[in-house]
Amino acid sequence: MTDCRLLIDPPAAGAWNMAVDEWLWHWAGKTGRWCLRFYRWEGPTLSLGYFQNHEDRQQHPPSLSCPVVRRISGGGAIVHDVEWTYSLAVPLKLPTNEPRANQTSEGLIVSRNSGCGRNMPRQWLYEVVHGTIVELLAHFGVHAQICGKVQEGKKAAALPFLCFQRRSPGDVLVGPIKVAGSAQRRNNDALLQHGSLLLARSLVAPELPGLKEIAGREFPFEFVLEVWLARLSDRLRLSWAEEQLSETERAAIDQLVLAKHNCPAWVIKRTRPELSMFFNS
């Protein structure tokens, strides 16, 4: 089993949430430790994928009143509201235990070698984490499946603005409806994967039904957290060590919010400030 830091955070502002994910990504590469984080948003917030143009948010009038942030990962825009978000920071510099090759009852995760460290396949981690969501939903009586190969050919500009209206291999679907998706960012030292589980329809994204509308009942996250953690522990051979952010870490993240994630230059123009000295400190 690999020791994994576990953070379960209260609702916070979008810029703070994005800064924590980026901080943990660098932290994992520096320390050689894994970290799993669950978090929420203090109000409806729109996050743009790294490559999206800020002006494209005009394509979605219901969310124009929401504050906007930019993720360091790609993909479509997400309206964060009635959901839980997770992030998983994985070190690539140091060897890790090889996760067990497993299959779900639906055969959704094929047996494969994880190729630990720098060779860890991106799609493998998507499928393992999303496979645990399929198992989680099955535990509560909801049949879900992993999205397979999708038809190629659409250019980025032709894709729907919202992530949950797109379909990518590895997404979690209930029938034709996408209920969970993830995105990644990777450097030589660590991989960050973060994603959302859509619990219910948001007033600022009324076109997207969530688990509440699909199943006809509530899915309080606290109710399903224990089951999800057990599935993740089994699939990734992780043991949980709850460890909240220290005051020193919080102060550093505050500086990252100010230097980047709360700056119009980053959010609007994707201008990256020089942060190498900041992360190497």
Side-chain angles (χ1 to χ4, degrees):
M1 300 287 280
T2 297
D3 174 75
C4 181
R5 183 179 188 177
L6 176 64
L7 296 174
I8 303 175
D9 286 344
W16 170 264
N17 278 334
M18 295 295 91
V20 174
D21 274 2
E22 183 168 6
W23 172 262
L24 290 172
W25 176 42
H26 288 274
W27 172 88
K30 188 175 181 179
T31 63
R33 292 182 62 194
W34 291 57
C35 183
L36 174 65
R37 175 183 179 232
F38 293 106
Y39 57 100
R40 291 169 287 171
W41 307 71
E42 64 181 15
T45 303
L46 180 74
S47 76
L48 297 172
Y50 177 78
F51 295 102
Q52 288 187 295
N53 294 322
H54 183 270
E55 56 267 28
D56 286 347
R57 73 171 305 196
Q58 300 298 322
Q59 298 177 19
H60 192 247
S63 66
L64 289 177
S65 62
C66 298
V68 60
V69 294
R70 184 177 294 279
R71 303 191 304 274
I72 62 172
S73 61
I78 300 177
V79 178
H80 302 279
D81 189 9
V82 194
E83 64 162 41
W84 272 74
T85 314
Y86 82 91
S87 65
L88 184 62
V90 180
L92 301 179
K93 290 173 60 178
L94 300 179
T96 58
N97 289 348
E98 180 175 325
R100 188 179 311 156
N102 250 330
Q103 286 189 323
T104 68
S105 59
E106 301 293 328
L108 299 174
I109 300 175
V110 299
S111 299
R112 66 187 68 191
N113 187 312
S114 70
C116 304
R118 293 185 181 180
N119 296 320
M120 178 182 287
R122 294 173 183 242
Q123 193 63 26
W124 180 88
L125 192 60
Y126 282 130
E127 292 183 0
V128 169
V129 174
H130 288 185
T132 66
I133 297 176
V134 171
E135 294 177 342
L136 167 71
L137 295 178
H139 181 86
F140 293 102
V142 178
H143 176 76
Q145 63 276 340
I146 299 294
C147 181
K149 186 176 182 179
V150 297
Q151 185 176 2
E152 299 179 355
K154 278 192 175 183
K155 296 182 179 180
L159 291 171
F161 174 67
L162 294 179
C163 170
F164 276 81
Q165 291 182 322
R166 302 181 181 188
R167 298 293 179 270
S168 300
D171 289 343
V172 179
L173 307 178
V174 178
I177 300 172
K178 180 174 175 177
V179 296
S182 299
Q184 292 180 354
R185 181 68 182 267
R186 184 176 185 143
N187 60 20
N188 287 333
D189 299 327
L191 181 150
L192 173 71
Q193 178 171 304
H194 52 190
S196 298
L197 176 62
L198 194 58
L199 299 178
R201 190 189 308 273
S202 169
L203 293 177
V204 289
E207 65 272 64
L208 300 176
L211 291 172
K212 178 181 178 181
E213 290 73 34
I214 295 168
R217 59 191 176 96
E218 301 277 356
F219 284 83
F221 190 80
E222 294 82 354
F223 186 61
V224 301
L225 179 59
E226 183 179 355
V227 178
W228 197 1
L229 284 174
R231 297 295 193 275
L232 286 166
S233 175
D234 180 64
R235 288 305 184 93
L236 292 168
R237 290 187 176 179
L238 298 175
S239 59
W240 311 119
E242 289 198 48
E243 182 184 331
Q244 296 304 308
L245 295 169
S246 68
E247 290 303 314
T248 300
E249 289 174 319
R250 295 183 71 86
I253 293 166
D254 277 333
Q255 292 302 310
L256 183 56
V257 170
L258 294 173
K260 181 175 183 179
H261 288 282
N262 218 17
C263 290
W266 164 253
V267 176
I268 297 174
K269 298 181 179 180
R270 207 171 72 228
T271 300
R272 292 179 292 178
E274 177 52 55
L275 298 175
S276 58
M277 292 182 62
F278 174 81
F279 284 115
N280 289 331
S281 61

